[in-house]
Every structure is written in structure tokens, then in C-alpha cells.
Amino acid sequence: MKVKIQQGRIEKFACDLLVVKWVMGQKMDGSTGAVDKALRGLISKAMKEDGRFKGKEGDVLVFPIHDKRIAAKRIMLLGLGEQKNVTVDCVRRSAARIVKEARKCRAKRVATILIGTGTAGIDPFTAAKAMTEGALLGGYVYHKYKSEEAREEAAFPGEFVMMTAGVHEKAVFHNPSAPTPPNLPSGRGGKLGGEALKIREAERGVKEGELYAQATIFARELVNEPASNMVPKTLADTARGLAKGVSGIAVKILNRGQCEKLGMGAYLGVAKGSDHEPYFIHLVYKPSGSNHKSQITNHKLERIAIVGKGITFDSGGLSLKPSQHMETMKLDMAGCAAMLGVFSVIAKLKPNVEVHGISAVCENMPSGRAQKPGDIVRTVSGKTIEVLNTDAEGRLTLADAFGYVNKFVKPDAMVDLATLTGACMVALGEEVAGYMGNDRALLDSVKKAAESAGERAWELPLVEEYKEQTKSHVADFSNITPSRYAGAITAGLFLEHFVDKTPWVHVDIAGPAFAEKEVIPYNPRGATGFGVRMMLELLKQCDFQGKN
Ligand code: BES
Ligand code: ZN
Ligand code: ZN
């Protein structure tokens, strides 16, 4: 799908579907009013006749038109809810709804206004970026294994056009009591001026939105791939592919023997039961130029590590999961996929910080060679872990990944993304990630990044008093706790033992990494790519130097 910004009057634009918005309680004015006027009140009439369209968020009214005064074939009226509800994420959701509706009526070309820039006061860059993300992510379908017919649908719409100037702004000018927006020329028929800037900003938003969506889809494709085709080697090859021929990105893949030499007993313990070889991924992006001291909140940040949990399939190992819990366990490499998603666009965005992408990739399987409950493993750090439940495997692989990072990367900040605990889903549900960490400034930066990305995350406390539960009487630590309570937090406390002094945030994405049903219109069923845009926003806090 091609996403475009175009200047002009929306009612003059030739397209298959023309979308106008409706905010609850609004008058028939602005762009919607202008189209209604051009159609001699057809929208008002359709609203009245339908009776159900109230303008609630997601309310949709679509009708064909055969009127020469307007160049579109169909009109769609889209509800945005109440004025106060028109947030950046509402804009993102709305763009996704437009694409879905366009697909339903097989519209090749859909045109809409730049939602949110009018009365909601969202700047054109942010609105265009959110709409681009919403359109591309909402239009995503995993159709690799579908018949030709099902694939055809995904080709609609081919073009998603956002109109910037025209009726709405003109309507503002017509209204003598309304103030002239600061970036627009005053008076009717004025030359571009602020409008040119608005278009440039919107175009920049489209470009960044495209990259963010592309990275998210990159992660989705990896997670959606069935686990029999997505084995550790597949991810290692993907990482190699991301570095190949791209200046600024380097990759190192460690095999089992090399990991053994480094003393990654916890990681290799998990990998033992599988017929597939484990591979440890280390990607590095270096910004060009030597003077790259960036600032995240009050951190001087030169080097950041993103660690992704990379279990290509989590059967639970010998502590086998019940079959229902296993159905979606191809998702257990979503953290790694998100990290790879970030690297798929990093050389274009050019953040002003050195970024290390780390993942200890393996498969958690039962077999005659599998590790057994009661085994004790030694990590890179030298600390030992009693493995009482082989299904708490993520924290074992992360313990060694963290040990490696401390030894060889020594970053100023480390963020891990992991589908770590069912307990986090019990606490926060499927839409919200839980995050926790040891550094207030970094925690706040992650929060800010999540908010700008429209990815929901809630901080959980690393309760010092619970730490006792992570100890073992035969090893330094145990991979499960005696109590069932606060499982997401105790997993975080376990991880903290392997962090050292590095400022660190752990993001438990077990819930939002995978949508079992569609709740958010830009997250269709299946992998969501959660974490990609949050990490890109975090890197953006260190400045993007990419030209767009
Ligand atoms: N991969 C799972 C966590 C998970 C569950 C992710 C559901 C996504 C959806 C993890 O390895 C796991 O099995 N955790 C156990 C830990 C327990 C044994 C302490 C869990 O949450 O049940
Ligand atoms: Zn598990
Ligand atoms: Zn797992």
C-alpha cells in the first residue's frame, strides 16, 4: 500500500472511497461539512436515515454516491468518539479502520483528511506518522500460507491518500470568529506559506511511520511463522541478513561450542532437549561520526543493549505445558523478533547511539537429552541456578544473555523484551506489558517511549522483600519461587541478579506480543510486533540522524 500526502480539496479528489470524520456532538462543518455541502446534504440525510451512527469511535457509515459534484465513488463517515478522545492513538486506530473498510468494498484508492490536525491540535508530523502506522499495520495480513484468493484481498487499498489543505482550513478561514491556525496563511486564497511547512512535516511523518510499520511487520512475520520453520538457525540467518551489505551494522553469531566456552550453562541447559542447534545473536549498530553522546532523560548514553528472549518454541520442556497453553508458543521469540525488527530499519533512522541487539536463541523441548527438574546450571557470571521447572526457561537464557552483555558489551543502558510470564498476563491482561527495572531515569524513558509509540505498558515494583523467594538451598538461585503470587515481579527479581550495576529495564511482553483476537484495529490477530515501536522511540530520544 502506497501512503501519500496530497494537497487539495478533498471533495475534488477522484478515489474509490472518500473518508470524512465525525466527532460526537460536532456540527456539520469543517471538511465533513464541505463534502456534505458539495453533496447537497447527502451525509446529513444518510446519518438521519441510518439512525445508528452516533459518531462513537469506530462507528462507520458507508454509502455509494452517483453525483458528478464529487469525484469519489463512495463516502465513508467515520466516528472518532468524543473530542477529548481524539488522541494520537485514536488517529492510528482510525486509519486502520479506514483500510479495513476500504478492503471490504475493494477500494483501490482511498482518500481521507489528516485526522487530528484540526480541532484535536495534533501536529502534522505526529498525525501523519500515526495514520501511516495505523494504515499499514491495520492492513497487514499474514497470508503466506493462504490460497491465492485470500491473498488478493490484501492488495486493497493500493493507495492511501491523506489530504492536507482544502476544505477544512478554508472552513476555518470562512468563520470570522475562529482564530487562524498559527501555521496557516491568513485570509482566503493565501499562498502556501505555513501550508508548505505543514505538508513537509506530514511527509516526514509518513516516511517515519512507514519505517516504524515496516519494522513492526518484520517482527510480525518472524513471530507468525510456524515454529517448525522458525528454528534458531532461521533467526541467526535473519540476523546475518540484516547486517549483510549494510554499513553501520555488524553481526556475530556464536554456536553451541563457542557458548560452552564462555560458560553459558543456563542457556545451553534449555537448548539441550532440542534437535535444533542453538545460536547466540549479537548485532551491533554504530552511528557514523565519533561524537555521539546522547541524552536519555538525564543519562549520558553512548551504548545501549536490547536483549530479546528468543525461544523459537516453548513446549515447557520436561515440565511440559498442557496442550492448550502450547498452541501459541511459537510466540516465545517475540522479544528477539522485536529486536531484529529494530535492526531492520536502524541504518535508515540512524539513531545517535551505539545499539547492541542480543538474543540467546534456542528451542525448549523435552527429549532424552533434555535438562531435568532439579538440575543445577552455571551461568556466565559464575552464579548457579537450580532448575526446578524447565518451563521457566526464559529467565535462564536471559541470565546468560545478560552475563554476556556485562562482560563484552558494557552498555550504559540495557532493555530486555521478553514473553516471560503468564503471571504478567494475569496481572495486566493481553493489551498491556509490565515493565520494571533498577534505574528511575531509564524507567521514565521507557515509559515515555511506550507512550509515544502507542504501546501500553505499566510499571511493576521490584519488591525487595520478595527477592528472598528467588534463592535456592542447593544453588545460588532457583528458577521458580515457592509462592505463586507476583510471578511477573519475582521473574524480574530473578533477572536482576544477573544485571550487575547496568541501568536496566525488563519489559514483559507475554500479553501484548500476540493478539489471540483483534482488539486494537491496527493489531490484527496473531503477532503484533509489540516492542518494536517502543524501542525505536527510545532510540529516537537519542536523536535520529537519518534524513527523511
Ligand atoms: N513463555 C512462557 C510465558 C508465556 C505464557 C508467554 C503465556 C506468553 C503467553 C514462559 O516461558 C513460561 O512458561 N513461564 C511460566 C513460568 C512458571 C513456570 C514459573 C509461566 O508463566 O507459567
Ligand atoms: Zn516456558
Ligand atoms: Zn517461554
Side-chain angles (χ1 to χ4, degrees):
M1 186 191 324
K2 184 102 195 67
V3 181
K4 270 193 202 157
I5 295 289
Q6 190 137 342
Q7 196 205 5
R9 295 176 70 104
I10 191 165
E11 76 275 31
K12 296 260 164 68
F13 195 69
C15 58
D16 302 296
L17 183 67
L18 178 66
V19 186
V20 286
K21 52 103 186 156
W22 191 259
V23 175
M24 279 170 95
Q26 84 166 64
K27 291 197 192 75
M28 188 53 88
D29 58 7
S31 51
T32 314
V35 176
D36 188 51
K37 207 165 147 199
L39 286 169
R40 304 230 171 115
L42 198 65
I43 298 180
S44 313
K45 211 168 127 209
M47 274 171 88
K48 236 181 242 142
E49 270 171 16
D50 178 81
R52 283 166 306 178
F53 185 94
K54 298 278 180 295
K56 284 201 300 267
E57 191 189 332
D59 273 3
V60 164
L61 193 60
V62 183
F63 49 93
I65 37 171
H66 308 282
D67 192 319
K68 288 224 172 62
R69 276 161 303 200
I70 203 141
K73 291 188 189 139
R74 272 194 180 83
I75 293 277
M76 166 178 172
L77 188 62
L78 175 65
L80 301 183
E82 288 174 43
Q83 175 71 44
K84 65 170 182 0
N85 168 57
V86 186
T87 57
V88 176
D89 204 52
C90 167
V91 170
R92 200 179 277 114
R93 292 191 294 267
S94 299
R97 290 192 180 103
I98 292 171
V99 165
K100 280 169 207 280
E101 225 30 69
R103 191 161 289 169
K104 258 195 224 158
C105 54
R106 299 205 145 217
K108 282 197 187 112
R109 192 183 213 199
V110 53
T112 172
I113 56 153
L114 199 51
I115 299 173
T117 52
T119 38
I122 299 169
D123 67 87
F125 168 82
T126 308
K129 180 177 167 188
M131 283 190 78
T132 306
E133 289 174 353
L136 295 173
L137 295 175
Y140 169 79
V141 262
Y142 183 63
H143 54 42
K144 189 173 165 190
Y145 297 98
K146 283 274 197 184
S147 65
E148 199 58 44
E149 242 166 81
R151 280 164 178 244
E152 264 169 30
E153 280 235 327
F156 295 96
E159 219 180 301
F160 184 90
V161 184
M162 293 175 275
M163 310 289 293
T164 62
V167 289
H168 178 69
E169 284 81 0
K170 287 271 156 48
V172 172
F173 301 154
H174 285 316
N175 180 354
S177 62
T180 305
N183 57 352
L184 290 172
S186 56
R188 291 177 69 176
K191 281 265 168 238
L192 279 179
E195 186 60 30
L197 180 70
K198 184 178 172 188
I199 290 174
R200 218 173 30 216
E201 278 301 285
E203 277 170 349
R204 206 167 61 80
V206 169
K207 284 205 180 117
E208 197 163 294
E210 276 175 339
L211 287 175
Y212 276 44
Q214 188 193 314
T216 308
I217 288 170
F218 189 92
R220 285 181 182 179
E221 287 278 297
L222 293 173
V223 178
N224 280 330
E225 186 68 47
S228 288
N229 302 335
M230 181 51 64
V231 295
K233 181 158 186 309
T234 327
L235 286 174
D237 288 344
T238 304
R240 278 195 196 96
L242 288 174
K244 201 170 175 192
V246 182
S247 78
I249 303 185
V251 67
K252 190 154 110 189
I253 308 285
L254 308 181
N255 62 22
R256 191 195 299 263
Q258 291 165 309
C259 292
E260 230 158 46
K261 272 200 195 115
L262 293 178
M264 296 187 177
Y267 165 41
L268 294 178
V270 178
K272 261 168 82 177
S274 169
D275 284 345
H276 296 283
E277 283 297 302
Y279 291 99
F280 187 97
I281 298 173
H282 181 179
L283 278 158
V284 189
Y285 157 82
K286 283 194 180 159
S288 52
S290 53
N291 189 14
H292 62 270
K293 268 213 162 51
S294 276
Q295 190 117 1
I296 279 195
T297 318
N298 48 25
H299 268 279
K300 275 274 173 271
L301 203 80
E302 278 188 69
R303 191 176 299 135
I304 184 165
I306 301 174
V307 183
K309 173 174 169 182
I311 302 295
T312 58
F313 188 72
D314 183 10
S315 69
L318 284 176
S319 313
L320 198 65
K321 282 184 186 292
S323 43
Q324 259 196 344
H325 290 195
M326 226 189 271
E327 281 172 10
T328 56
M329 278 305 132
K330 65 174 183 181
L331 66 72
D332 219 17
M333 36 60 81
C336 173
M339 177 277 283
L340 294 172
V342 167
F343 271 82
S344 72
V345 295
I346 204 164
K348 289 207 177 105
L349 290 168
K350 302 193 200 309
N352 191 23
V353 61
E354 188 175 305
V355 187
H356 292 252
I358 306 285
S359 189
V361 187
C362 67
E363 192 184 51
N364 188 22
M365 294 292 276
S367 80
R369 279 171 285 109
Q371 73 174 343
K372 302 165 185 78
D375 280 359
I376 296 172
V377 292
R378 190 178 297 277
T379 60
V380 175
S381 64
K383 294 170 183 166
T384 57
I385 304 167
E386 181 186 17
V387 182
L388 282 176
N389 188 318
T390 62
D391 196 14
E393 83 298 335
R395 63 195 79 185
L396 298 172
T397 61
L398 288 172
D400 272 336
F402 289 2
Y404 176 94
V405 169
N406 288 332
K407 223 170 168 167
F408 301 107
V409 180
K410 301 190 195 337
D412 305 309
M414 173 164 78
V415 180
D416 77 78
L417 299 169
T419 46
L420 203 66
T421 66
C424 198
M425 298 172 75
V426 173
L428 298 172
E430 285 182 82
E431 303 306 323
V432 185
Y435 69 97
M436 55 212 93
N438 61 3
D439 186 275
R440 179 46 49 199
L442 187 63
L443 281 161
D444 290 344
S445 294
V446 168
K447 178 176 186 224
K448 198 170 130 200
E451 274 169 6
S452 342
E455 295 188 320
R456 272 178 286 184
W458 192 257
E459 186 177 338
L460 299 175
L462 283 172
V463 183
E464 196 55 38
E465 286 79 356
Y466 301 168
K467 217 165 191 171
E468 194 56 31
Q469 297 179 35
T470 61
K471 296 204 171 131
S472 154
H473 68 285
V474 287
D476 295 330
F477 309 109
S478 159
N479 78 332
I480 55 166
T481 53
S483 151
R484 284 187 303 120
Y485 301 138
I489 293 172
T490 52
L493 287 165
F494 174 92
L495 293 180
E496 199 179 10
H497 291 300
F498 301 92
V499 169
D500 261 3
K501 300 256 174 317
T502 312
W504 154 78
V505 169
H506 156 59
V507 191
D508 193 330
I509 59 170
F514 202 85
E516 292 203 44
K517 59 179 194 314
E518 183 176 306
V519 177
I520 300 170
Y522 58 78
N523 282 342
R525 268 183 81 171
T528 60
F530 189 97
V532 172
R533 288 178 298 116
M534 182 196 298
M535 287 304 104
L536 291 176
E537 286 295 323
L538 187 71
L539 299 181
K540 191 179 180 176
Q541 288 177 36
C542 310
D543 269 351
F544 281 164
Q545 319 232 296
K547 285 198 180 63
N548 57 47

